[in-house]
């Protein structure tokens, strides 16, 4: 109808009418686009609100995982301290079964990694989603959480570097059983050799092993601090997400 009016106005050289009709067409297109954009924004806002709720649930589960991880870190620190103390004070009366157990725990430490669920959080990497939380408390809390997790990962990388060595080759006095018992069985049906017995008298005098265990203890201490920071930032993020949903 409008196009017919414009065509008629042009044929009759009614420029004013043609101009008015053209403006109406442009205004209609602009208004239609704005209405479509508003509808899209509202749909994205609803999607982000739902996503933030999912992230809150995800973080509550992660918080429990972090608490368990922190408890394991504390336990490993105590075990390393006990191992180093027993080795430093080694004598014929020392309980070698306990030393064997503590060493298997020490060997397994480098392989431990905190497993986090970030399925919902990763969806916020989309630029159209991020713009809806830009400058908000939630965005700041997410940034703090990512920084805290990055710090913990750095400590884990340091610990994993200790797992890149062959413990039984580096420390011949350490029994094969003490090393192999620290890792899950690969499912190979082979009898575990029994001819290697740990020479704790020799290990207790090994400065390389003593230094390695001391460095692992220090890294675990840093890991404990990092885990505490991550636990705090996770709680803060949950609070920010809940406040944003209200």
């Amino acid at each position: 109808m409008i196009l017919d009016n414009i065509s008629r106005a042009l044929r009759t050289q009614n420029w004013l009418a043609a101009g008015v009709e053209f403006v109406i067409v442009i205004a209609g297109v602009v208004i239609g686009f704005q209405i479509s954009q508003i509808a899209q924004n509202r749909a994205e806002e609803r999607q982000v609100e739902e996503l933030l709720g999912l992230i809150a649930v995800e973080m509550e589960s992660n918080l429990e995982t972090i608490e368990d991880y922190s408890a394991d870190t504390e336990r490993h620190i105590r075990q390393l301290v006990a191992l180093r103390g027993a080795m430093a004070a080694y004598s014929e009366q020392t309980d070698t079964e306990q030393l064997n157990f503590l060493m298997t725990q020490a060997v397994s430490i480098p392989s431990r990694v905190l497993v986090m669920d970030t399925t919902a959080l990763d969806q916020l990497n989309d630029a159209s989603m991020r713009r809806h939380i830009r400058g908000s408390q939630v965005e700041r809390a997410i940034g703090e959480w990512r920084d805290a997790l990055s710090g913990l990962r750095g400590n884990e990388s340091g610990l994993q570097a200790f797992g890149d060595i062959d413990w039984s080759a580096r420390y011949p006095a350490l029994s094969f059983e003490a090393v192999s018992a620290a890792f899950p069985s690969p499912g190979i049906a082979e009898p575990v050799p029994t001819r290697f017995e740990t020479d704790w008298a020799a290990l207790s005098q090994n400065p390389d092993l003593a230094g390695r265990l001391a460095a692992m203890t220090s890294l675990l201490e840093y890991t404990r601090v990092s885990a505490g920071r991550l636990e705090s930032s996770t709680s803060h993020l949950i609070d920010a997400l809940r406040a944003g949903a209200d």
Side-chain angles (χ1 to χ4, degrees), residues 9 13 17 51-52 55 64 81 121 149 159-160 188 194 207 238 244:
Q13 296 186 351
L51 186 58
L52 294 181
I55 295 173
E64 294 181 5
V81 170
L121 181 62
L149 180 59
L159 285 169
Q160 287 168 14
I188 301 175
T194 57
I238 292 171

Side-chain angles (χ1 to χ4, degrees), residues 94-105:
T94 301
D95 182 359
T96 55
E97 287 190 10
Q98 177 68 2
L99 283 177
N100 275 321
F101 169 75
L102 292 173
M103 182 58 77
T104 62
Q105 299 303 298

Side-chain angles (χ1 to χ4, degrees), residues 35-175:
I35 291 175
S36 176
Q37 191 66 39
I38 290 172
Q40 181 180 345
N41 286 340
R42 288 178 176 173
E44 286 182 355
E45 287 174 357
R46 288 193 296 270
Q47 187 176 356
V48 169
E49 287 178 3
E50 293 175 359
L51 186 58
L52 294 181
L54 291 175
I55 295 173
V57 174
E58 190 173 73
M59 287 299 154
E60 287 172 350
S61 176
N62 284 337
L63 185 58
E64 294 181 5
T65 303
I66 297 167
E67 290 171 349
D68 291 341
Y69 181 90
S70 296
D72 284 342
T73 301
E74 292 279 359
R75 177 173 56 83
H76 280 304
I77 290 173
R78 290 194 299 270
Q79 289 172 341
L80 269 180
V81 170
L83 174 62
R84 293 167 59 205
M87 287 178 62
Y90 178 81
S91 70
E92 293 183 357
Q93 287 72 43
T94 301
D95 182 359
T96 55
E97 287 190 10
Q98 177 68 2
L99 283 177
N100 275 321
F101 169 75
L102 292 173
M103 182 58 77
T104 62
Q105 299 303 298
V107 171
S108 70
I109 288 172
S111 64
R112 59 194 297 270
V113 175
L114 175 63
V115 179
M116 303 292 286
D117 183 6
T118 60
T119 304
L121 181 62
D122 291 341
Q123 294 183 46
L124 276 179
N125 290 332
D126 183 85
S128 63
M129 294 292 186
R130 286 203 311 270
R131 68 189 181 89
H132 290 283
I133 63 169
R134 189 169 295 127
S136 67
Q137 182 180 1
V138 169
E139 184 185 42
R140 291 190 293 272
I142 289 175
E144 293 172 0
W145 186 87
R146 291 190 186 280
D147 287 344
L149 180 59
S150 177
L152 179 62
R153 293 299 187 218
N155 290 323
E156 286 182 336
S157 296
L159 285 169
Q160 287 168 14
F162 288 107
D164 294 336
I165 66 164
D166 185 337
W167 287 74
S168 58
R170 190 180 185 99
Y171 308 112
L174 182 62
S175 73

